[in-house]
Amino acid sequence: YAKGESYGTTTARLGQDSQYTFGNCSLSLHPAKDQPVASITSGYIYERAAILEYLLKKTQELKQKQLEYDRWKQSQEQQLLMEQDKKRKAEMEKFETAQKVVAAKKQRVEVNPLNRTSYWLAQSQPERNKTTATTTSATSTTTSSRTPPPTRPASPNSQRPLRRKDLVELDLKWNSDDQVVCAISEKSITTQQALALIPKVSGDKQKNNNNKAQVVLEQVYSDLGNDKICPVTGRKIAKILKLQKGGSSFASSGGIVEAKQYRPTMT
């Protein structure tokens, strides 16, 4: 294609500014320094206030959609009952008409003798049952399906159901460059795989730093032997959560590094 023509697929390389920075809130996209939490279903990091506001808004939207769905379902049921009633009346009329025809045959009343001998004439052809056709089309419209709304709001990133209790508090440690550092080695976490060491909650369930999950580099933790005791707090680990890695513009990072725009093509 000639240069400047709007044909064919175009691609653009995504820079570092277009990639996710580890430690940023996945909703507000700024450093999650105010009560950071992580989703145990997806590993994304959020600020507590931002994700709770999102969940509240989506829950209210789902309630409204559920009310609309209930009203639609009730109207469909009423319409179905009306169509069934019409169908039953049409069958009764058809039965009464058939009985009248049988009675007329018994009386040997022949309106037009040509109907018996000249059956190919237009007036001798059977008529289409309009009532049955109308009922069939209405019934097919009534039985149209509609998916009910989900019961729980979806995650803004993974689109899987997300609950408030699926959020775990994080103890993020920052350096002077606004980068999250490993709680063990104090190395900056950028595109490396990071883990959240979720401790077992004590009996008193007091909210302190010891109950927050410590964020460490996966390689550093594996070098320590993957012990079930947190090397930072000394508490037993209940679960190890893999956090979402930071993005990079390098192809070897495994993320999306190109954006494509599909335009008309000439073959």
Side-chain angles (χ1 to χ4, degrees):
Y1 305 112
K3 186 177 181 180
E5 291 187 354
S6 57
Y7 294 99
T9 302
T10 59
T11 60
R13 189 82 173 187
L14 298 177
Q16 182 62 34
D17 294 338
S18 301
Q19 301 293 339
Y20 169 70
T21 301
F22 183 82
N24 282 6
C25 174
S26 297
L27 283 174
S28 61
L29 301 180
H30 62 73
K33 294 184 177 181
D34 185 15
Q35 294 182 322
V37 295
S39 169
I40 61 175
T41 59
S42 60
Y44 283 97
I45 298 175
Y46 307 97
E47 280 190 337
R48 187 176 185 84
I51 189 61
L52 291 183
E53 181 181 357
Y54 168 84
L55 291 177
L56 177 61
K57 182 179 179 181
K58 291 300 179 181
T59 301
Q60 293 174 347
E61 291 179 359
L62 289 179
K63 287 182 179 180
Q64 183 63 29
K65 290 182 180 179
Q66 184 63 40
L67 290 176
E68 295 176 357
Y69 175 77
D70 292 339
R71 286 196 292 265
W72 173 84
K73 188 176 181 180
Q74 185 177 4
S75 65
Q76 291 295 97
E77 291 176 354
Q78 292 177 354
Q79 186 176 358
L80 181 60
L81 291 176
M82 292 174 60
E83 297 301 333
Q84 290 177 350
D85 187 47
K86 288 182 180 180
K87 185 177 180 180
R88 184 168 56 254
K89 289 181 179 180
E91 291 177 351
M92 291 177 61
E93 292 177 358
K94 183 178 179 181
F95 176 75
E96 291 175 357
T97 303
Q99 292 300 318
K100 290 179 181 179
V101 172
V102 172
K105 286 184 178 180
K106 288 183 178 179
Q107 295 177 4
R108 298 184 182 278
V109 177
E110 191 170 12
V111 180
N112 189 355
L114 291 177
N115 291 339
R116 179 170 54 84
T117 58
S118 304
Y119 53 82
W120 56 84
L121 298 177
Q123 61 268 23
S124 301
Q125 301 301 316
E127 293 184 358
R128 182 172 179 265
N129 194 342
K130 297 181 180 180
T131 305
T132 305
T134 304
T135 305
T136 304
S137 61
T139 304
S140 61
T141 305
T142 305
T143 55
S144 59
S145 61
R146 181 174 176 178
T147 306
T151 57
R152 300 186 185 279
S155 169
N157 299 97
S158 65
Q159 300 303 315
R160 287 183 288 180
L162 181 62
R163 301 172 297 178
R164 183 175 179 178
K165 66 179 183 179
D166 292 335
L167 303 174
V168 58
E169 293 185 77
L170 299 178
D171 185 15
L172 297 181
K173 295 177 174 57
W174 302 82
N175 59 13
S176 58
D177 296 328
D178 277 346
Q179 292 179 334
V180 179
V181 297
C182 175
I184 301 174
S185 64
E186 297 185 354
K187 291 182 179 180
S188 300
I189 304 176
T190 54
T191 59
Q192 313 96 309
Q193 180 62 63
L195 304 176
L197 307 181
I198 305 174
K200 289 186 178 180
V201 181
S202 57
D204 53 4
K205 295 184 179 180
Q206 294 179 353
K207 291 187 177 180
N208 49 40
N209 289 335
N210 289 337
N211 285 336
K212 295 182 179 180
Q214 301 295 322
V215 178
V216 299
L217 287 169
E218 183 181 30
Q219 186 61 44
V220 174
Y221 180 69
S222 62
D223 290 342
L224 295 177
N226 295 330
D227 194 8
K228 294 300 180 181
I229 302 296
C230 179
V232 181
T233 61
R235 299 184 57 183
K236 291 184 178 180
I237 299 175
K239 184 177 181 179
I240 299 176
L241 173 65
K242 275 192 174 184
L243 301 175
Q244 288 291 329
K245 296 195 300 183
S248 171
S249 57
F250 292 99
S252 59
S253 63
I256 300 175
V257 296
E258 278 188 347
K260 292 185 179 182
Q261 181 183 11
Y262 297 96
R263 298 186 297 184
T265 59
M266 297 179 63
T267 56

